[in-house]
Amino acid sequence: MGFVFSQSKDSITICLEYEIPSGTEIVFSEDTVLALFIEEICADGIIIETFSDVRNIPVGPIGYAKKISPVGKINMTWDKRGMYYVWNDGRGIVFSVNDEGFYVPKTNSYRFPTDTKVLEIKYKVLLPTKGFNERDLEKQLPSAGFYTATYRKKVELK
């Protein structure tokens, strides 16, 4: 299995592929980044963590597609912001309760410097199942969801 990588002056798009189990008829569409479970992202061998992204980030779309191939795809687009490329998992700003009971804003955004040479992504993809609640997906990925195997993709950047 491969992946597609394209880079413009303002963005990088990586098409992450995954095997669709036999018997699966419906998958999430390629633009449903909410179905992407990120286990780890490394830039030049260094693990990058999420950061507080203060932009107004819209919630990503949830779409479905019929299985037409044994390989599914999710597009991950990183936008250039100054000296970094930035990606958000499609949930925008979410709120969690801290130890004192206050709601604290958080984003599942990642960034890496524009001079990065190698980006490595470890991920798996949520597959839709009966009884699936879309509203839950906007908050977080379900812990008991039906996921693909875990994949690791390495991308050499220009």
Side-chain angles (χ1 to χ4, degrees):
M1 249 181 4
F3 63 95
V4 177
F5 162 70
S6 66
Q7 184 172 4
S8 71
K9 74 174 194 158
D10 296 324
S11 67
I12 294 173
T13 299
I14 303 168
C15 182
L16 299 172
E17 295 185 339
Y18 60 94
E19 290 181 34
I20 301 172
S22 62
T24 302
E25 295 179 19
I26 302 291
V27 294
F28 288 110
S29 62
E30 293 180 20
D31 64 341
T32 306
V33 294
L34 291 166
L36 195 56
F37 183 99
I38 299 298
E39 291 189 10
E40 182 179 88
I41 300 176
C42 294
D44 289 337
I46 299 169
I47 296 173
I48 58 175
E49 304 289 338
T50 58
F51 76 102
S52 293
D53 193 352
V54 295
R55 297 176 295 134
N56 182 15
I57 304 168
V59 175
I62 299 174
Y64 301 92
K66 285 190 173 214
K67 175 184 170 183
I68 56 173
S69 152
V71 177
K73 299 172 185 173
I74 299 283
N75 292 326
M76 176 187 248
T77 300
W78 296 77
D79 295 317
K80 189 173 181 183
R81 302 272 183 242
M83 299 302 294
Y84 293 94
Y85 283 104
V86 177
W87 177 78
N88 179 270
D89 73 351
R91 284 174 185 79
I93 299 174
V94 293
F95 292 87
S96 60
V97 180
N98 68 10
D99 294 338
E100 291 81 34
F102 293 105
Y103 285 93
V104 179
K106 175 185 185 285
T107 62
N108 295 320
S109 296
Y110 295 85
R111 68 180 170 195
F112 65 88
T114 55
D115 63 351
T116 297
K117 298 195 180 1
V118 177
L119 187 67
E120 192 169 355
I121 305 163
K122 184 177 177 185
Y123 66 97
K124 58 186 175 183
V125 178
L126 177 70
L127 297 169
T129 55
K130 289 183 181 180
F132 170 74
N133 185 345
E134 287 185 0
R135 294 187 146 250
D136 292 340
L137 187 57
E138 293 174 3
K139 296 175 190 153
Q140 66 183 16
L141 284 161
S143 59
F146 180 47
Y147 291 93
T148 65
T150 299
Y151 299 92
R152 187 177 291 269
K153 296 296 178 196
K154 190 182 236 182
V155 182
E156 292 189 24
L157 305 172
K158 296 177 186 175

